[in-house]
Amino acid sequence: MSDGGLAGLRELSKLASRRDRIILPLWAYALIGSAASTAYSIKGLFPDASSRQDFAEGIGAASGAIALYGRLDENSLGAITTWRSLVLGAVLAAIMSILLVVRHTRAEEQTGRQELVASGVVDRRAPLVAVLRLVIGVNLGVGLIIGAVLPVIGLGAAGAFALGLSMAACGIVFAGIAAVCAQLFEASRTANSVALTLLAAFYLVRAAGDMSDDAQWLRWLSPVGWAEEVQPYTGDRWWALAIPVVAAAILIALALRLLDRRDFASGVLPGRPGPAYAGAGTLGTFGLAWRMHRGSLFGWSIGVLVAALVFGSFVKDVDLLTDSDRVQEIMAELGGSQNMADAYVSSIVGVFGILAAVFALTVIVRARGEEAGGRIELVFAGTPSRARWLLSHLVFAVAGAVVILVAAAFGMGLSQGLGAHDVGGALGDAFGAVSAQLPAVVLIAALAVLLFAVVPRWTSAGWGMLGLFAFLTLVGPQLKVSQYVLDVSPFTHVPKLPGNDVSATPLVVMAALAVVGVAATLVAFRRRDLLA
């Protein structure tokens, strides 16, 4: 997009780039690194055509794998790499685009910062156009880099660029969807929630099309399915990229049209007025925390439950999917067991433990947002104490993590048990495995809230801390990282269940450290000044 005569567009583009100078490289690294590492791993795991053929046949028999990643019609290195990375990469690009667009448009209006910017010589369309230029540029840049990197690993160049650009196209479409949602709704949380819900719905439509031989046409109804229809390394249908390009252009034009027709700081759809009187469940600091976080907890729980049902359905096919000796070695490292089914369940439960920690961290970060926005001062103008307010958010962070882990255990155990005709035993193993994750999650929440209490401006650094822990847990063993370094992550000390003995010592130590962290947090938060 050119400046097009929009006053302030160049300056706002620079501002958006500067504000996201840290998070954008992280998103790009995640997308590029995921595709490159997948290609490198596939090349090492399946070096010959025979092993790739066996793997492809196993995937064809695993309905859960098809629902998650899509169909695998050929057994070439490029086809398997595409199968493993395309759908999830497209979803990750879509999430990035949604969060960035809403952050720089609706969230800025909601906080009043965009009104301050608009007081200068700035065209009303400039903020939206600036962020769209940024997001489109990042998506295209990531797609082109993926196309340049994969041939270095040994894959064909044409398929590599088709893979990268199909991911980018999906991200650009959802940038348009987010732009429309930012015009429709008054609250940034609502805009994000609706856009992410649409992403989940389109993902399920794509999954339904992949799982049915008679309904593959459903993929044409989903932007995620459009990425698949490009068929990198199996067809390289470049013309299919025209569909998301046209769709994105229409969505962006619609967003600009809606922007011109609505009042500043309002949405096209008016906000629903709240009740005249607060219910008993919303009174006090704990009621306020419940009101603030219940929507996101519900969405997280449903998403984790659906994912757990899908992953649990893989257990009956795990022997087919881990036929390679190298795959079995990796699964044993992640799951801590030579039994492939137990190792698989343990490794997936570890991922759900990390996701529970992510939810807990979102609660702490939003508590910091209440302070930064000045709303916490209104609360403290009444009778609530600082300790009670902070504990309300911390309790909800931990309780929400418990709910998410319970949803994961129920989904994994139910789908695994139905496949093995032993629902009771599978549920027992799943609940035992997820319960071992809780001390690590609570410790991470305690560290995050301690950071908020001591150095509030660094609260977001908790994401870096969690990212390091996740990296060491998921990738560290394969990279042969020193055990001393791996021990930095709380998840390293979680017993790998089922299939292994339980040592209570690391769980008790993590719980004790969490208690000490919370006590230090309450003291530090009571003694420091509030920072807006």
Side-chain angles (χ1 to χ4, degrees), residues 118-130:
S119 63
V121 184
V122 176
D123 191 282
R124 189 178 181 188
R125 292 186 171 194
L128 177 58
V129 175

Side-chain angles (χ1 to χ4, degrees), residues 326-396:
R326 178 55 182 154
V327 175
Q328 292 180 4
E329 180 183 343
I330 293 174
M331 288 299 299
E333 289 175 343
L334 289 174
S337 174
Q338 296 301 318
N339 181 297
M340 284 299 100
D342 287 346
Y344 171 80
V345 171
S346 178
S347 63
I348 297 302
V349 166
V351 173
F352 285 127
I354 293 172
L355 290 178
V358 171
F359 171 81
L361 200 54
T362 63
V363 175
I364 304 303
V365 170
R366 191 171 184 200
R368 165 58 186 158
E370 291 297 292
E371 180 184 10
R375 292 178 292 275
I376 190 177
E377 297 179 15
L378 300 176
V379 175
F380 292 154
T383 58
S385 66
R386 288 193 178 195
R388 186 176 180 84
W389 177 86
L390 187 58
L391 282 175
S392 68
H393 289 279
L394 182 58
V395 167
F396 200 93

Side-chain angles (χ1 to χ4, degrees), residues 370-446:
E370 291 297 292
E371 180 184 10
R375 292 178 292 275
I376 190 177
E377 297 179 15
L378 300 176
V379 175
F380 292 154
T383 58
S385 66
R386 288 193 178 195
R388 186 176 180 84
W389 177 86
L390 187 58
L391 282 175
S392 68
H393 289 279
L394 182 58
V395 167
F396 200 93
V398 174
V402 171
V403 172
I404 289 171
L405 289 174
V406 168
F410 180 76
M412 284 283 293
L414 180 62
S415 57
Q416 178 187 354
L418 290 175
H421 306 291
D422 183 18
V423 174
L427 283 173
D429 289 343
F431 275 99
V434 300
S435 63
Q437 300 288 326
L438 188 58
V441 174
V442 174
L443 177 56
I444 291 172

